[in-house]
Amino acid sequence: MSLFTLMLPGAGAVGLMMIVIWYLGVRYHDVSFVDRVWGLGFLLAMSGYLWEIGGVDLRSGLTFACVAIWGLRLSWHLHRRNSGHGEDPRYTAMRNKIGPSFVWKSFLRVNLLQAVILLIVSTPLAVIARGGGDQFPTLFDLIGFSIYVIGLGFEVIGDAQLKVFKANPANRGQVLRSGLWGLTRHPNYFGDSLLWWGFGIVSLSCPGGYWTLIGPALMSFLLRRVSGVTLLEADLVQRKPGYANYIAEVPPFWPRLWPRPRVKE
């Protein structure tokens, strides 16, 4: 079965989800609903891939479980964090710039675009779902799933540390510099990127796995240069007085495992 044919049910499911989310965004004047279903989209996509194949082996079953753990946790985390706070300022700025036609253009520029990116990133999942290749577990499997665990750990622990920090009123307006946030300015983004490289490495155990590394490469690029670090920090530098010094002390993405002297405020 060709990879294109295999991915069609998953693409259809993701497309339908994005249409529903676009409708909800229009109805409630909040495009950022799309961010909450990002993780669920990958779970939906792989469900479609496995449905098309009609079976699950050990490698694809374990991968599906890993995608479910990551996707459900991420969507629940974003739902709890964003509920009651209105539309993300990034989308509001886009809405104000485009004007009345934003209702329709938001589907193309936000929902459809995210659906395409999601499907490209998920190509390792499709290759794993298709099966074949060496018997599980291979060295690629062991390395890939280990990297997934490390990446998920960075994401979960980083989010938990930030939540505890923000819950303390004394930290209002301050910058978290301890824990994983002392190694990288964005442990959650780094962890997200790392776990997708884990899926990419697992896919190397299957026929056609090498070219699917474009998926984790695209995810890393987006998190580091487009919608993640770059876009978020443009706002943080303006809102948090100590953030410029934090930038001078801690790397943006890849963790530094040795301390750097604090910059004087």
Side-chain angles (χ1 to χ4, degrees):
M1 179 184 297
S2 72
L3 200 61
F4 176 79
T5 302
L6 168 62
M7 294 182 73
L8 284 178
V14 171
L16 180 60
M17 179 191 75
M18 286 300 181
I19 292 173
V20 172
I21 293 301
W22 169 74
Y23 169 77
L24 292 175
V26 172
R27 179 172 181 179
Y28 294 102
H29 206 71
D30 186 354
V31 175
S32 48
F33 279 124
V34 72
D35 295 335
R36 306 184 195 186
V37 299
W38 175 250
L40 291 178
F42 288 98
L43 182 58
L44 200 60
M46 190 166 191
S47 297
Y49 305 155
L50 292 174
W51 179 83
E52 180 66 20
I53 287 296
V56 179
D57 58 21
L58 286 174
R59 181 179 293 118
S60 62
L62 181 56
T63 300
F64 180 81
C66 289
V67 173
I69 292 170
W70 168 77
L72 292 171
R73 189 214 74 89
L74 179 61
S75 288
W76 177 242
H77 169 74
L78 293 176
H79 173 71
R80 288 195 305 169
R81 189 189 71 180
N82 298 340
S83 291
H85 295 284
E87 186 174 61
D88 188 299
R90 296 172 299 168
Y91 298 125
T92 302
M94 186 187 301
R95 179 190 300 278
N96 294 336
K97 182 178 180 180
I98 294 176
S101 62
F102 179 75
V103 170
W104 302 106
K105 289 182 178 179
S106 65
F107 178 74
L108 299 176
R109 297 190 181 187
V110 179
N111 301 82
L112 183 60
L113 177 62
Q114 288 204 22
V116 172
I117 292 172
L118 189 157
L119 292 171
I120 294 174
V121 172
S122 75
T123 50
L125 306 182
V127 169
I128 295 170
R130 186 169 60 179
D134 298 328
Q135 184 176 357
F136 180 85
T138 66
L139 181 59
F140 286 133
D141 291 324
L142 297 175
I143 294 174
F145 284 120
S146 297
I147 290 176
Y148 164 86
V149 170
I150 296 171
L152 184 65
F154 261 85
E155 191 171 341
V156 172
I157 294 171
D159 285 339
Q161 290 175 341
L162 184 60
K163 181 181 178 181
V164 171
F165 180 81
K166 287 184 173 181
N168 186 346
N171 294 328
R172 186 176 299 276
Q174 302 299 311
V175 178
L176 174 58
R177 302 169 183 259
S178 61
L180 295 181
W181 298 85
L183 305 179
T184 166
R185 300 200 299 270
H186 300 279
N188 47 353
Y189 288 161
F190 170 72
D192 206 18
S193 170
L194 195 63
L195 67 85
W196 277 101
W197 280 106
F199 288 136
I201 291 173
V202 171
S203 74
L204 298 181
S205 299
C206 306
Y210 289 92
W211 72 271
T212 66
L213 293 179
I214 190 176
L218 176 60
M219 177 69 91
S220 298
F221 174 74
L222 293 173
L223 289 171
R224 176 63 184 91
R225 298 294 181 184
V226 184
S227 63
V229 174
T230 301
L231 191 61
L232 179 62
E233 291 196 336
D235 176 61
L236 289 174
V237 170
Q238 300 297 323
R239 292 193 295 108
K240 295 183 180 290
Y243 204 84
N245 287 338
Y246 181 54
I247 288 176
E249 297 167 13
V250 179
F253 201 71
W254 293 99
R256 179 187 292 118
L257 300 182
W258 57 90
R260 172 175 286 188
R262 287 285 297 271
V263 176
K264 293 183 179 180
E265 299 289 345

